[in-house]
Amino acid sequence: MSDYGDEHYCTRCGAVLEEQPGFDPDDNYWICTECGQALYGEVDEDALYGDVLWCCDGCGAILNKQPGFSDYLSSWICTECGYSNDIDEDDIYESEEEYQRFKNSMYDEDDEDEDDNDEEDETEPEKVTRDYQSSSNSNDQKASEKQTKKKPKQNSFFRCHWKSIFCITLVPTIAFCGFILLYLWSRLIPIGISSDEAGSYDYETIMADLKNAGFAKIYACGVEDLSLEDEDKTGIVSEISVDGTTVFESDDKFDYNKTIYVYYHELELFCLPIASKKCNGENYEDVVSEIEEAGFVNVKTEADYDLTLGLLTKDGAVESVSVNGDTEYSTDTRYRPDVEIIVTYHTFKRNKQE
């Protein structure tokens, strides 16, 4: 029924319901005397079958208004007469006329059974749920009756069995997560040494211990940070990094496939600042000074007494520079700071001491 101010109208024919004898808007249910349309008021929007009006087959009472009623139930006992009503979409009728035709046909079948069997006792009519669907809120004749809103069967099944479905899916999910956690836990191996203790061992020992423990990716990295005075610390571990973690205890566990870098001390190496050919003709004292400033500590000089007048070659000019006896060394090659370097230079014969 449509509500316009203080008056109520039939949604099919537009008749004023207050003018029809017996109409009471508080009942929320009325059959229009003009056109026979079943009308009712507010509808539960969360109902399974939409705006279907459910009526008791025993007394005709509206089941929707009874406390606790829900069309999600398979049946409902009327609180007014105690009649048990089936709640199913097969018991839904589009109009009062359709329900009455079906009900009359059921009564006719019962009457025929009474005549055939000469029975005088009253036969109870087949139980049929009288349900109606309201028309839309429009006075348009074309929208007189709208289709019943039915939710899909699978939606109804899910609503009824969601707990079982949840439990069924929860068990394998928990089992799968447990399997993953167990697998990850099985990959963990104790490191076997703390980060503080590592500085007391040489890197080869540490790498062997890690390999025996089961770790697969172990790499040694030398750090050139020692001077000649600390040369005895060569090969001693300076730091261990397990996938970026450098602070740990001996009982800490890590994935066996994590990348481990073992850093250890090495003697600092240096490159020659100038090539031998470029030294030729330079003053040997300047060359020696430049080499020593580069970090080399074992630089020696040798004089070649081959000058008589010194017109073409100056006294003290460098003849050659050799590194470990190699005069063709590369300035890109790195050497120990105590590598032997000999700077040979020209000088006059008279300077030679007999």
Side-chain angles (χ1 to χ4, degrees):
M1 62 186 72
S2 298
D3 184 1
Y4 297 96
D6 296 331
E7 292 186 339
H8 297 77
Y9 295 88
C10 175
T11 57
R12 173 188 285 184
C13 65
V16 180
L17 302 183
E18 277 80 6
E19 297 178 357
Q20 298 181 7
F23 173 75
D24 185 356
D26 294 332
D27 286 342
N28 286 332
Y29 172 66
W30 181 252
I31 296 179
C32 179
T33 58
E34 295 290 335
C35 64
Q37 174 67 23
L39 306 168
Y40 57 95
E42 297 181 359
V43 179
D44 183 6
E45 295 181 354
D46 295 329
L48 175 62
Y49 296 106
D51 53 1
V52 172
L53 180 66
W54 298 86
C55 296
C56 177
D57 292 335
C59 65
I62 301 175
L63 303 181
N64 302 65
K65 299 172 59 177
Q66 297 181 3
F69 174 81
S70 171
D71 59 1
Y72 285 96
L73 302 173
S74 60
S75 63
W76 178 258
I77 298 177
C78 178
T79 58
E80 295 190 13
C81 69
Y83 188 85
S84 179
N85 299 272
D86 288 337
I87 308 298
D88 188 85
E89 61 179 333
D90 293 335
D91 297 321
I92 297 175
Y93 300 93
E94 300 294 335
S95 66
E96 174 71 14
E97 292 84 351
E98 181 181 352
Y99 166 72
Q100 292 297 339
R101 285 195 301 270
F102 181 79
K103 187 174 181 181
N104 291 336
S105 66
M106 298 301 297
Y107 280 123
D108 291 341
E109 291 178 3
D110 291 338
D111 291 341
E112 290 177 2
D113 292 339
E114 287 180 359
D115 293 340
D116 293 340
N117 298 321
D118 296 326
E119 296 178 356
E120 293 182 359
D121 53 330
E122 242 179 73
T123 303
E124 183 180 353
E126 184 75 19
K127 181 174 58 174
V128 180
T129 305
R130 185 177 59 181
D131 310 309
Y132 310 103
Q133 183 179 5
S134 71
S135 59
S136 61
N137 293 329
S138 172
N139 290 327
D140 191 348
Q141 187 67 22
K142 295 181 180 180
S144 60
E145 294 181 4
K146 65 180 180 181
Q147 297 296 322
T148 304
K149 297 179 180 178
K150 301 176 184 177
K151 295 190 177 181
K153 282 285 188 180
Q154 60 270 24
N155 191 28
S156 175
F157 177 82
F158 179 79
R159 286 176 178 269
C160 295
H161 304 283
W162 69 270
K163 290 184 179 179
S164 299
I165 296 174
F166 175 76
C167 292
I168 292 173
T169 56
L170 180 63
V171 171
T173 300
I174 293 177
F176 177 75
C177 292
F179 173 78
I180 294 299
L181 292 176
L182 182 62
Y183 171 72
L184 294 176
W185 180 83
S186 66
R187 294 169 60 96
L188 299 179
I189 301 175
I191 189 69
I193 187 172
S194 68
S195 54
D196 294 333
E197 297 172 341
S200 303
Y201 299 89
D202 64 272
Y203 76 97
E204 292 179 343
T205 300
I206 295 294
M207 292 184 67
D209 291 343
L210 293 175
K211 184 176 181 180
N212 293 333
F215 292 99
K217 298 180 180 179
I218 312 170
Y219 303 96
C221 298
V223 180
E224 297 178 2
D225 57 352
L226 297 180
S227 61
L228 287 174
E229 291 79 6
D230 297 324
E231 188 176 5
D232 58 328
K233 296 181 181 179
T234 300
I236 300 299
V237 173
S238 61
E239 183 180 70
I240 299 177
S241 173
V242 184
D243 199 33
T245 301
T246 57
V247 179
F248 46 82
E249 299 298 329
S250 59
D251 56 351
D252 288 347
K253 294 182 178 181
F254 298 91
D255 190 305
Y256 75 88
N257 206 36
K258 293 293 185 181
T259 301
I260 301 179
Y261 291 100
V262 180
Y263 298 93
Y264 61 93
H265 300 288
E266 279 191 337
L267 187 65
E268 187 176 9
L269 303 180
F270 301 95
C271 294
L272 270 296
I274 187 170
S276 177
K277 293 181 179 180
K278 291 186 178 181
C279 294
N280 294 341
E282 300 291 330
N283 183 273
Y284 78 97
E285 293 180 344
D286 295 337
V287 172
V288 169
S289 177
E290 187 175 354
I291 293 175
E292 289 178 342
E293 287 178 359
F296 295 95
V297 297
N298 188 18
V299 183
K300 299 177 181 180
T301 59
E302 289 186 0
D304 184 5
Y305 300 96
D306 59 348
L307 297 181
T308 304
L309 298 176
L311 298 178
L312 299 177
T313 302
K314 294 182 180 180
D315 182 25
V318 173
E319 180 180 344
S320 66
V321 176
S322 66
V323 180
N324 267 344
D326 182 15
T327 58
E328 300 295 331
Y329 64 86
S330 171
T331 54
D332 295 328
T333 304
R334 303 168 71 244
Y335 300 94
R336 290 171 54 93
D338 59 348
V339 65
E340 184 181 57
I341 301 175
I342 299 177
V343 179
T344 304
Y345 62 94
H346 301 278
T347 188
F348 292 103
K349 294 180 181 179
R350 64 175 177 269
N351 294 332
K352 184 177 181 180
Q353 297 179 0
E354 298 295 340

